[in-house]
Amino acid sequence: MNKKRLAMLTGGGDCPGLNPVIRAVTRSGIQSGYEIIGVRNGWKGMIEKDFIVLDRGSVAGILHRGGTILGTSRTNPRKIDGASDRIFQNFKELNLDVLIAIGGDDTLGVAYDLYQRGLAMIGVPKTIDNDLSGTDCTFGYDTAVNIAMEAIDRLHSTAESHHRVLVVELMGRHTGWITIGAGLSGGADYVLIPEYPVSMDEVAETIKKRHATGRTFSIVAVAEGFKVEGVDIIQTKELDAFGHPRLGGVGEIVARELEKRTNFETRSVVLGHVQRGGAPTAYDRILSTRYGLKAVELARTGQFGKMVSLRGTEIIAVDLQAVTKSKVVPSELYEGAKIFFG
Ligand code: F6P
């Protein structure tokens, strides 16, 4: 008798922790009697029928590796004529019994469409930004915060030596999870995030007061999605397939505005994709492994149209439909961080 076939793909921006999910799905899927199909480059691979068969050997030695051995893309089947039909047909032609989509709200939104068309879909939530509703935390976030914290630690000594203000720009398109995490753990002197607008005058006043007490340097952490005086800072106007503009440059503008108002020498640093690169932390390896194991359990028990989710300390299943990009930094956390401003 032919084995049941379980496929998986990784879509959207990469995150440390994707490989541990792939490893957990493969190891546990094989144990459950599935043949495991790795679809290359997200939905692009499903459209083009580009896949590999994964065995135990294919996932050996990847637990600690960043990125995704399957590759990823931001291909959006909703925007390509006939793509959804091709995916539907390829799912059938490949004799798949279930597809596990590992991705953010864009990737999982497509999975939900296909589930509604009758395909067996399961979601694993992923975003470095940690802003997906339906789960308490996404893997990769802890790694990114640790990288950003270390950057802030390192910026301290050079800022102090040169008596400068250093503005560090961090990832976070709509929310400031990485920035608040890094700011709190790294001891930033101001944190600017999209959820809590503040004027440049206000930030400059706080920095001036800090320096009036004898401090000669400051570190400001800013999320790329922070609006300066209400204006979005966009690097290129071109949108990706899911309609997102490329952000970037807010750090430089904040630095300029602060220098103008304070007369303190101010420089900016963009951490960029460094935050998404390299080995996942132990927390992210464990979370992503647990997500992968749970996804296979859902497959085995026929719970399609679901997404794995962290609730407190438990990994549970929630409706795939539930996922949106709407989990914001709570005011209680921001108010706590404010105590340390200045
Ligand atoms: O959505 C995750 C994210 O890392 C954002 O923080 C960032 O704006 C974006 O992806 C960068 O996307 P790309 O890697 O396609 O430039």
Side-chain angles (χ1 to χ4, degrees):
M1 204 182 75
N2 282 343
K3 278 188 172 174
K4 285 191 155 197
R5 292 190 120 187
L6 180 155
M8 75 183 124
L9 60 79
T10 53
D14 71 335
C15 257
L18 285 168
N19 281 329
V21 179
I22 294 168
R23 173 177 173 267
V25 168
T26 304
R27 294 281 298 263
S28 155
I30 290 171
Q31 259 189 44
S32 302
Y34 286 103
E35 183 180 15
I36 310 297
I37 307 297
V39 178
R40 286 204 181 95
N41 303 321
W43 291 117
K44 188 169 186 282
M46 267 315 279
I47 297 168
E48 296 172 359
K49 244 205 221 170
D50 182 7
F51 68 92
I52 43 170
V53 174
L54 296 173
D55 58 18
R56 207 180 145 146
S58 346
V59 296
I62 67 167
L63 176 60
H64 63 285
R65 276 172 58 191
T68 159
I69 59 163
L70 294 177
T72 186
S73 73
R74 292 198 192 270
T75 299
N76 181 1
R78 286 167 169 167
K79 291 267 172 70
I80 303 170
D81 260 359
S84 181
D85 291 342
R86 276 213 296 286
I87 293 175
F88 196 87
Q89 203 181 321
N90 290 341
F91 188 100
K92 300 286 176 199
E93 278 178 22
L94 289 170
N95 280 322
L96 301 184
D97 291 284
V98 55
L99 172 67
I100 298 177
I102 310 162
D105 57 326
D106 296 327
T107 303
L108 298 185
V110 174
Y112 183 66
D113 290 351
L114 293 164
Y115 168 68
Q116 284 194 307
R117 289 190 63 182
L119 298 186
M121 294 282 156
I122 290 168
V124 174
K126 174 245 43 151
T127 169
I128 204 83
D129 291 349
N130 195 38
D131 56 358
L132 289 185
S133 61
T135 187
D136 288 355
C137 192
T138 45
F139 57 84
Y141 170 66
D142 184 64
T143 306
V145 169
N146 273 283
I147 293 169
M149 175 193 75
E150 200 200 323
I152 292 178
D153 284 351
R154 288 177 184 275
L155 289 174
H156 267 87
S157 61
T158 174
E160 188 167 17
S161 304
H162 287 268
H163 317 294
R164 284 173 175 155
V165 177
L166 282 177
V167 179
V168 56
E169 178 183 315
L170 301 172
M171 277 186 171
R173 238 201 268 260
H174 307 286
T175 56
W177 285 100
I178 295 179
T179 308
I180 197 96
L184 271 168
S185 55
D189 304 301
Y190 218 108
V191 168
L192 300 169
I193 60 177
E195 296 94 318
Y196 301 98
V198 52
S199 71
M200 287 297 104
D201 283 346
E202 213 174 308
V203 183
E205 274 319 300
T206 307
I207 304 255
K208 279 203 276 190
K209 274 193 202 135
R210 169 180 156 85
H211 290 222
T213 67
R215 312 310 298 272
T216 62
F217 74 97
S218 290
I219 309 283
V220 176
V222 58
E224 60 182 353
F226 175 76
K227 294 180 174 45
V228 181
E229 316 296 12
V231 178
D232 258 327
I233 311 302
I234 291 167
Q235 205 182 85
T236 58
K237 287 224 166 72
E238 281 156 41
L239 304 180
D240 70 16
F242 283 94
H244 310 298
R246 191 185 302 162
L247 300 179
V250 70
E252 186 53 33
I253 291 174
V254 167
R256 217 166 52 213
E257 294 302 315
L258 292 182
E259 189 169 81
K260 235 175 12 199
R261 288 166 172 80
T262 61
N263 284 325
F264 302 138
E265 187 186 358
T266 306
R267 301 284 181 90
S268 71
V269 180
V270 182
L271 218 51
H273 291 88
V274 170
Q275 293 158 94
R276 288 198 338 222
T281 57
Y283 179 87
D284 281 336
R285 294 182 202 193
I286 295 167
L287 179 61
S288 49
T289 297
R290 292 180 74 201
Y291 275 173
L293 296 177
K294 184 71 176 181
V296 173
E297 182 196 310
L298 297 184
R300 223 181 37 226
T301 52
Q303 297 185 61
F304 307 126
K306 299 279 180 194
M307 172 186 98
V308 302
S309 152
L310 177 72
R311 274 291 148 77
T313 56
E314 301 288 302
I315 306 289
I316 61 161
V318 298
D319 284 342
L320 195 46
Q321 189 185 8
V323 71
T324 55
K325 238 175 167 25
S326 60
K327 194 177 70 193
V328 297
V329 171
S331 60
E332 167 268 326
L333 188 55
Y334 181 72
E335 289 303 319
K338 271 170 81 176
I339 310 266
F340 304 96
F341 289 1

